[in-house]
PDB file of all heavy atoms in Angstrom:
ATOM      1  N   GLY S   4      11.019 -72.856 -40.595  1.00  0.00           N
ATOM      2  CA  GLY S   4      11.513 -71.888 -41.556  1.00  0.00           C
ATOM      3  C   GLY S   4      12.621 -70.977 -41.068  1.00  0.00           C
ATOM      4  O   GLY S   4      13.043 -70.078 -41.781  1.00  0.00           O
ATOM      5  N   TRP S   5      13.052 -71.180 -39.802  1.00  0.00           N
ATOM      6  CA  TRP S   5      14.120 -70.328 -39.278  1.00  0.00           C
ATOM      7  C   TRP S   5      14.704 -71.030 -38.055  1.00  0.00           C
ATOM      8  O   TRP S   5      14.140 -71.975 -37.520  1.00  0.00           O
ATOM      9  CB  TRP S   5      13.527 -68.968 -38.874  1.00  0.00           C
ATOM     10  CG  TRP S   5      12.392 -69.062 -37.914  1.00  0.00           C
ATOM     11  CD1 TRP S   5      11.125 -69.505 -38.182  1.00  0.00           C
ATOM     12  CD2 TRP S   5      12.353 -68.746 -36.541  1.00  0.00           C
ATOM     13  NE1 TRP S   5      10.337 -69.507 -37.098  1.00  0.00           N
ATOM     14  CE2 TRP S   5      11.052 -69.014 -36.040  1.00  0.00           C
ATOM     15  CE3 TRP S   5      13.313 -68.227 -35.670  1.00  0.00           C
ATOM     16  CZ2 TRP S   5      10.704 -68.769 -34.708  1.00  0.00           C
ATOM     17  CZ3 TRP S   5      12.966 -68.019 -34.343  1.00  0.00           C
ATOM     18  CH2 TRP S   5      11.665 -68.304 -33.892  1.00  0.00           C
ATOM     19  N   SER S   6      15.872 -70.558 -37.629  1.00  0.00           N
ATOM     20  CA  SER S   6      16.519 -71.098 -36.453  1.00  0.00           C
ATOM     21  C   SER S   6      16.397 -70.152 -35.299  1.00  0.00           C
ATOM     22  O   SER S   6      16.647 -68.967 -35.430  1.00  0.00           O
ATOM     23  CB  SER S   6      17.986 -71.333 -36.731  1.00  0.00           C
ATOM     24  OG  SER S   6      18.694 -71.680 -35.555  1.00  0.00           O
ATOM     25  N   PHE S   7      15.937 -70.661 -34.120  1.00  0.00           N
ATOM     26  CA  PHE S   7      15.771 -69.755 -33.000  1.00  0.00           C
ATOM     27  C   PHE S   7      16.885 -69.852 -31.992  1.00  0.00           C
ATOM     28  O   PHE S   7      16.750 -69.538 -30.846  1.00  0.00           O
ATOM     29  CB  PHE S   7      14.416 -69.961 -32.326  1.00  0.00           C
ATOM     30  CG  PHE S   7      14.145 -71.278 -31.636  1.00  0.00           C
ATOM     31  CD1 PHE S   7      15.128 -72.026 -31.019  1.00  0.00           C
ATOM     32  CD2 PHE S   7      12.828 -71.716 -31.562  1.00  0.00           C
ATOM     33  CE1 PHE S   7      14.834 -73.199 -30.355  1.00  0.00           C
ATOM     34  CE2 PHE S   7      12.537 -72.909 -30.899  1.00  0.00           C
ATOM     35  CZ  PHE S   7      13.539 -73.625 -30.291  1.00  0.00           C
ATOM     36  N   ILE S   8      18.071 -70.307 -32.437  1.00  0.00           N
ATOM     37  CA  ILE S   8      19.180 -70.500 -31.557  1.00  0.00           C
ATOM     38  C   ILE S   8      19.564 -69.250 -30.787  1.00  0.00           C
ATOM     39  O   ILE S   8      20.012 -69.316 -29.642  1.00  0.00           O
ATOM     40  CB  ILE S   8      20.406 -71.080 -32.301  1.00  0.00           C
ATOM     41  CG1 ILE S   8      21.473 -71.542 -31.352  1.00  0.00           C
ATOM     42  CG2 ILE S   8      20.953 -70.036 -33.292  1.00  0.00           C
ATOM     43  CD1 ILE S   8      22.609 -72.330 -32.005  1.00  0.00           C
ATOM     44  N   PHE S   9      19.370 -68.086 -31.350  1.00  0.00           N
ATOM     45  CA  PHE S   9      19.762 -66.829 -30.679  1.00  0.00           C
ATOM     46  C   PHE S   9      18.575 -66.193 -29.914  1.00  0.00           C
ATOM     47  O   PHE S   9      18.745 -65.183 -29.311  1.00  0.00           O
ATOM     48  CB  PHE S   9      20.315 -65.837 -31.691  1.00  0.00           C
ATOM     49  CG  PHE S   9      21.571 -66.293 -32.364  1.00  0.00           C
ATOM     50  CD1 PHE S   9      21.615 -66.572 -33.696  1.00  0.00           C
ATOM     51  CD2 PHE S   9      22.735 -66.467 -31.593  1.00  0.00           C
ATOM     52  CE1 PHE S   9      22.778 -66.989 -34.317  1.00  0.00           C
ATOM     53  CE2 PHE S   9      23.902 -66.891 -32.206  1.00  0.00           C
ATOM     54  CZ  PHE S   9      23.926 -67.165 -33.562  1.00  0.00           C
ATOM     55  N   TYR S  10      17.436 -66.877 -29.996  1.00  0.00           N
ATOM     56  CA  TYR S  10      16.193 -66.285 -29.394  1.00  0.00           C
ATOM     57  C   TYR S  10      16.013 -66.728 -27.973  1.00  0.00           C
ATOM     58  O   TYR S  10      16.361 -67.839 -27.571  1.00  0.00           O
ATOM     59  CB  TYR S  10      14.983 -66.735 -30.215  1.00  0.00           C
ATOM     60  CG  TYR S  10      14.815 -66.051 -31.546  1.00  0.00           C
ATOM     61  CD1 TYR S  10      15.725 -66.276 -32.564  1.00  0.00           C
ATOM     62  CD2 TYR S  10      13.722 -65.239 -31.805  1.00  0.00           C
ATOM     63  CE1 TYR S  10      15.569 -65.685 -33.806  1.00  0.00           C
ATOM     64  CE2 TYR S  10      13.540 -64.630 -33.043  1.00  0.00           C
ATOM     65  CZ  TYR S  10      14.476 -64.845 -34.052  1.00  0.00           C
ATOM     66  OH  TYR S  10      14.308 -64.262 -35.248  1.00  0.00           O
ATOM     67  N   THR S  11      15.399 -65.847 -27.177  1.00  0.00           N
ATOM     68  CA  THR S  11      14.738 -66.272 -25.954  1.00  0.00           C
ATOM     69  C   THR S  11      13.403 -66.885 -26.359  1.00  0.00           C
ATOM     70  O   THR S  11      12.654 -66.296 -27.169  1.00  0.00           O
ATOM     71  CB  THR S  11      14.514 -65.086 -25.019  1.00  0.00           C
ATOM     72  OG1 THR S  11      15.768 -64.682 -24.475  1.00  0.00           O
ATOM     73  CG2 THR S  11      13.598 -65.471 -23.858  1.00  0.00           C
ATOM     74  N   VAL S  12      13.116 -68.057 -25.865  1.00  0.00           N
ATOM     75  CA  VAL S  12      11.856 -68.755 -26.199  1.00  0.00           C
ATOM     76  C   VAL S  12      11.163 -69.149 -24.900  1.00  0.00           C
ATOM     77  O   VAL S  12      11.779 -69.218 -23.822  1.00  0.00           O
ATOM     78  CB  VAL S  12      12.100 -69.958 -27.085  1.00  0.00           C
ATOM     79  CG1 VAL S  12      12.630 -69.575 -28.419  1.00  0.00           C
ATOM     80  CG2 VAL S  12      13.033 -70.945 -26.420  1.00  0.00           C
ATOM     81  N   GLY S  13       9.861 -69.360 -25.023  1.00  0.00           N
ATOM     82  CA  GLY S  13       9.139 -69.788 -23.826  1.00  0.00           C
ATOM     83  C   GLY S  13       7.666 -69.827 -24.019  1.00  0.00           C
ATOM     84  O   GLY S  13       7.151 -69.971 -25.150  1.00  0.00           O
ATOM     85  N   TRP S  14       6.933 -69.709 -22.902  1.00  0.00           N
ATOM     86  CA  TRP S  14       5.504 -69.882 -22.851  1.00  0.00           C
ATOM     87  C   TRP S  14       4.859 -68.772 -22.044  1.00  0.00           C
ATOM     88  O   TRP S  14       5.343 -68.418 -20.963  1.00  0.00           O
ATOM     89  CB  TRP S  14       5.149 -71.226 -22.294  1.00  0.00           C
ATOM     90  CG  TRP S  14       5.651 -72.379 -23.073  1.00  0.00           C
ATOM     91  CD1 TRP S  14       6.905 -72.990 -22.982  1.00  0.00           C
ATOM     92  CD2 TRP S  14       4.987 -73.034 -24.152  1.00  0.00           C
ATOM     93  NE1 TRP S  14       7.021 -73.973 -23.898  1.00  0.00           N
ATOM     94  CE2 TRP S  14       5.836 -74.036 -24.645  1.00  0.00           C
ATOM     95  CE3 TRP S  14       3.729 -72.922 -24.707  1.00  0.00           C
ATOM     96  CZ2 TRP S  14       5.487 -74.902 -25.669  1.00  0.00           C
ATOM     97  CZ3 TRP S  14       3.382 -73.752 -25.746  1.00  0.00           C
ATOM     98  CH2 TRP S  14       4.241 -74.723 -26.227  1.00  0.00           C
ATOM     99  N   TYR S  15       3.742 -68.292 -22.559  1.00  0.00           N
ATOM    100  CA  TYR S  15       2.854 -67.407 -21.839  1.00  0.00           C
ATOM    101  C   TYR S  15       1.476 -68.075 -21.815  1.00  0.00           C
ATOM    102  O   TYR S  15       1.234 -69.021 -22.573  1.00  0.00           O
ATOM    103  CB  TYR S  15       2.750 -66.050 -22.518  1.00  0.00           C
ATOM    104  CG  TYR S  15       3.902 -65.118 -22.220  1.00  0.00           C
ATOM    105  CD1 TYR S  15       5.185 -65.398 -22.720  1.00  0.00           C
ATOM    106  CD2 TYR S  15       3.732 -63.951 -21.493  1.00  0.00           C
ATOM    107  CE1 TYR S  15       6.259 -64.566 -22.440  1.00  0.00           C
ATOM    108  CE2 TYR S  15       4.781 -63.116 -21.211  1.00  0.00           C
ATOM    109  CZ  TYR S  15       6.043 -63.403 -21.697  1.00  0.00           C
ATOM    110  OH  TYR S  15       7.095 -62.563 -21.439  1.00  0.00           O
ATOM    111  N   ARG S  16       0.575 -67.595 -20.968  1.00  0.00           N
ATOM    112  CA  ARG S  16      -0.781 -68.116 -20.935  1.00  0.00           C
ATOM    113  C   ARG S  16      -1.772 -66.995 -20.677  1.00  0.00           C
ATOM    114  O   ARG S  16      -1.428 -65.984 -20.096  1.00  0.00           O
ATOM    115  CB  ARG S  16      -0.909 -69.215 -19.896  1.00  0.00           C
ATOM    116  CG  ARG S  16      -0.801 -68.751 -18.452  1.00  0.00           C
ATOM    117  CD  ARG S  16      -0.823 -69.971 -17.519  1.00  0.00           C
ATOM    118  NE  ARG S  16      -0.714 -69.546 -16.110  1.00  0.00           N
ATOM    119  CZ  ARG S  16      -0.544 -70.385 -15.114  1.00  0.00           C
ATOM    120  NH1 ARG S  16      -0.487 -71.705 -15.342  1.00  0.00           N
ATOM    121  NH2 ARG S  16      -0.475 -69.936 -13.874  1.00  0.00           N
ATOM    122  N   GLN S  17      -2.988 -67.252 -21.112  1.00  0.00           N
ATOM    123  CA  GLN S  17      -4.068 -66.275 -20.930  1.00  0.00           C
ATOM    124  C   GLN S  17      -5.327 -66.989 -20.592  1.00  0.00           C
ATOM    125  O   GLN S  17      -5.849 -67.803 -21.368  1.00  0.00           O
ATOM    126  CB  GLN S  17      -4.267 -65.427 -22.166  1.00  0.00           C
ATOM    127  CG  GLN S  17      -5.194 -64.248 -21.965  1.00  0.00           C
ATOM    128  CD  GLN S  17      -5.140 -63.243 -23.119  1.00  0.00           C
ATOM    129  OE1 GLN S  17      -4.643 -63.529 -24.185  1.00  0.00           O
ATOM    130  NE2 GLN S  17      -5.634 -62.051 -22.854  1.00  0.00           N
ATOM    131  N   ALA S  18      -5.840 -66.722 -19.390  1.00  0.00           N
ATOM    132  CA  ALA S  18      -7.120 -67.280 -18.958  1.00  0.00           C
ATOM    133  C   ALA S  18      -8.235 -66.313 -19.346  1.00  0.00           C
ATOM    134  O   ALA S  18      -7.983 -65.117 -19.552  1.00  0.00           O
ATOM    135  CB  ALA S  18      -7.083 -67.476 -17.446  1.00  0.00           C
ATOM    136  N   PRO S  19      -9.466 -66.806 -19.445  1.00  0.00           N
ATOM    137  CA  PRO S  19     -10.587 -65.919 -19.812  1.00  0.00           C
ATOM    138  C   PRO S  19     -10.693 -64.720 -18.882  1.00  0.00           C
ATOM    139  O   PRO S  19     -10.680 -64.877 -17.647  1.00  0.00           O
ATOM    140  CB  PRO S  19     -11.801 -66.845 -19.692  1.00  0.00           C
ATOM    141  CG  PRO S  19     -11.249 -68.202 -19.887  1.00  0.00           C
ATOM    142  CD  PRO S  19      -9.896 -68.201 -19.295  1.00  0.00           C
ATOM    143  N   GLY S  20     -10.762 -63.536 -19.459  1.00  0.00           N
ATOM    144  CA  GLY S  20     -10.937 -62.327 -18.671  1.00  0.00           C
ATOM    145  C   GLY S  20      -9.664 -61.836 -17.988  1.00  0.00           C
ATOM    146  O   GLY S  20      -9.699 -60.839 -17.248  1.00  0.00           O
ATOM    147  N   GLU S  21      -8.539 -62.525 -18.300  1.00  0.00           N
ATOM    148  CA  GLU S  21      -7.295 -62.140 -17.654  1.00  0.00           C
ATOM    149  C   GLU S  21      -6.285 -61.665 -18.700  1.00  0.00           C
ATOM    150  O   GLU S  21      -6.419 -61.918 -19.909  1.00  0.00           O
ATOM    151  CB  GLU S  21      -6.720 -63.334 -16.883  1.00  0.00           C
ATOM    152  CG  GLU S  21      -7.593 -63.917 -15.811  1.00  0.00           C
ATOM    153  CD  GLU S  21      -7.730 -62.975 -14.615  1.00  0.00           C
ATOM    154  OE1 GLU S  21      -6.810 -62.194 -14.395  1.00  0.00           O
ATOM    155  OE2 GLU S  21      -8.788 -63.074 -13.922  1.00  0.00           O
ATOM    156  N   GLN S  22      -5.268 -61.010 -18.227  1.00  0.00           N
ATOM    157  CA  GLN S  22      -4.181 -60.601 -19.115  1.00  0.00           C
ATOM    158  C   GLN S  22      -3.230 -61.775 -19.392  1.00  0.00           C
ATOM    159  O   GLN S  22      -3.143 -62.715 -18.575  1.00  0.00           O
ATOM    160  CB  GLN S  22      -3.368 -59.430 -18.517  1.00  0.00           C
ATOM    161  CG  GLN S  22      -4.135 -58.113 -18.464  1.00  0.00           C
ATOM    162  CD  GLN S  22      -3.278 -56.940 -18.046  1.00  0.00           C
ATOM    163  OE1 GLN S  22      -2.259 -57.130 -17.359  1.00  0.00           O
ATOM    164  NE2 GLN S  22      -3.633 -55.751 -18.432  1.00  0.00           N
ATOM    165  N   ARG S  23      -2.580 -61.727 -20.521  1.00  0.00           N
ATOM    166  CA  ARG S  23      -1.557 -62.741 -20.830  1.00  0.00           C
ATOM    167  C   ARG S  23      -0.422 -62.586 -19.799  1.00  0.00           C
ATOM    168  O   ARG S  23       0.048 -61.498 -19.521  1.00  0.00           O
ATOM    169  CB  ARG S  23      -1.048 -62.571 -22.244  1.00  0.00           C
ATOM    170  CG  ARG S  23      -0.236 -63.722 -22.746  1.00  0.00           C
ATOM    171  CD  ARG S  23       0.052 -63.607 -24.237  1.00  0.00           C
ATOM    172  NE  ARG S  23      -1.145 -63.634 -25.058  1.00  0.00           N
ATOM    173  CZ  ARG S  23      -1.122 -63.717 -26.394  1.00  0.00           C
ATOM    174  NH1 ARG S  23       0.020 -63.737 -27.041  1.00  0.00           N
ATOM    175  NH2 ARG S  23      -2.278 -63.764 -27.045  1.00  0.00           N
ATOM    176  N   GLU S  24       0.039 -63.735 -19.300  1.00  0.00           N
ATOM    177  CA  GLU S  24       1.070 -63.719 -18.294  1.00  0.00           C
ATOM    178  C   GLU S  24       2.193 -64.712 -18.619  1.00  0.00           C
ATOM    179  O   GLU S  24       1.964 -65.740 -19.286  1.00  0.00           O
ATOM    180  CB  GLU S  24       0.518 -64.079 -16.942  1.00  0.00           C
ATOM    181  CG  GLU S  24      -0.051 -65.484 -16.789  1.00  0.00           C
ATOM    182  CD  GLU S  24      -0.511 -65.822 -15.386  1.00  0.00           C
ATOM    183  OE1 GLU S  24      -0.469 -64.917 -14.505  1.00  0.00           O
ATOM    184  OE2 GLU S  24      -0.896 -66.978 -15.184  1.00  0.00           O
ATOM    185  N   LEU S  25       3.388 -64.367 -18.165  1.00  0.00           N
ATOM    186  CA  LEU S  25       4.543 -65.249 -18.388  1.00  0.00           C
ATOM    187  C   LEU S  25       4.367 -66.549 -17.599  1.00  0.00           C
ATOM    188  O   LEU S  25       3.937 -66.522 -16.451  1.00  0.00           O
ATOM    189  CB  LEU S  25       5.817 -64.554 -17.940  1.00  0.00           C
ATOM    190  CG  LEU S  25       7.131 -65.309 -18.062  1.00  0.00           C
ATOM    191  CD1 LEU S  25       8.250 -64.374 -18.468  1.00  0.00           C
ATOM    192  CD2 LEU S  25       7.501 -66.023 -16.777  1.00  0.00           C
ATOM    193  N   VAL S  26       4.722 -67.667 -18.231  1.00  0.00           N
ATOM    194  CA  VAL S  26       4.792 -68.939 -17.564  1.00  0.00           C
ATOM    195  C   VAL S  26       6.248 -69.308 -17.345  1.00  0.00           C
ATOM    196  O   VAL S  26       6.672 -69.555 -16.191  1.00  0.00           O
ATOM    197  CB  VAL S  26       4.064 -70.028 -18.370  1.00  0.00           C
ATOM    198  CG1 VAL S  26       4.221 -71.378 -17.677  1.00  0.00           C
ATOM    199  CG2 VAL S  26       2.596 -69.691 -18.553  1.00  0.00           C
ATOM    200  N   ALA S  27       7.003 -69.365 -18.419  1.00  0.00           N
ATOM    201  CA  ALA S  27       8.419 -69.742 -18.331  1.00  0.00           C
ATOM    202  C   ALA S  27       9.135 -69.329 -19.589  1.00  0.00           C
ATOM    203  O   ALA S  27       8.547 -69.399 -20.709  1.00  0.00           O
ATOM    204  CB  ALA S  27       8.586 -71.232 -18.097  1.00  0.00           C
ATOM    205  N   THR S  28      10.375 -68.900 -19.443  1.00  0.00           N
ATOM    206  CA  THR S  28      11.207 -68.604 -20.612  1.00  0.00           C
ATOM    207  C   THR S  28      12.602 -69.171 -20.424  1.00  0.00           C
ATOM    208  O   THR S  28      13.039 -69.385 -19.268  1.00  0.00           O
ATOM    209  CB  THR S  28      11.339 -67.082 -20.872  1.00  0.00           C
ATOM    210  OG1 THR S  28      11.893 -66.451 -19.734  1.00  0.00           O
ATOM    211  CG2 THR S  28       9.992 -66.460 -21.203  1.00  0.00           C
ATOM    212  N   VAL S  29      13.256 -69.405 -21.531  1.00  0.00           N
ATOM    213  CA  VAL S  29      14.674 -69.818 -21.461  1.00  0.00           C
ATOM    214  C   VAL S  29      15.420 -69.054 -22.543  1.00  0.00           C
ATOM    215  O   VAL S  29      15.030 -68.973 -23.698  1.00  0.00           O
ATOM    216  CB  VAL S  29      14.800 -71.375 -21.695  1.00  0.00           C
ATOM    217  CG1 VAL S  29      14.087 -71.854 -22.922  1.00  0.00           C
ATOM    218  CG2 VAL S  29      16.288 -71.769 -21.697  1.00  0.00           C
TER     219      VAL S  29
END
């Protein structure tokens, strides 16, 4: 529904009992 061409995109992860953390962004 939208174009993310101008966006920074990527991945975060969250393990049980842990805070969400950055994995990789582009």
Side-chain angles (χ1 to χ4, degrees):
W5 55 290
S6 172
F7 67 31
I8 191 170
F9 296 114
Y10 285 66
T11 289
V12 293
W14 298 89
Y15 281 68
R16 67 186 181 187
Q17 188 167 18
E21 301 290 334
Q22 290 188 335
R23 192 172 296 189
E24 64 176 4
L25 179 145
V26 176
T28 59
V29 52

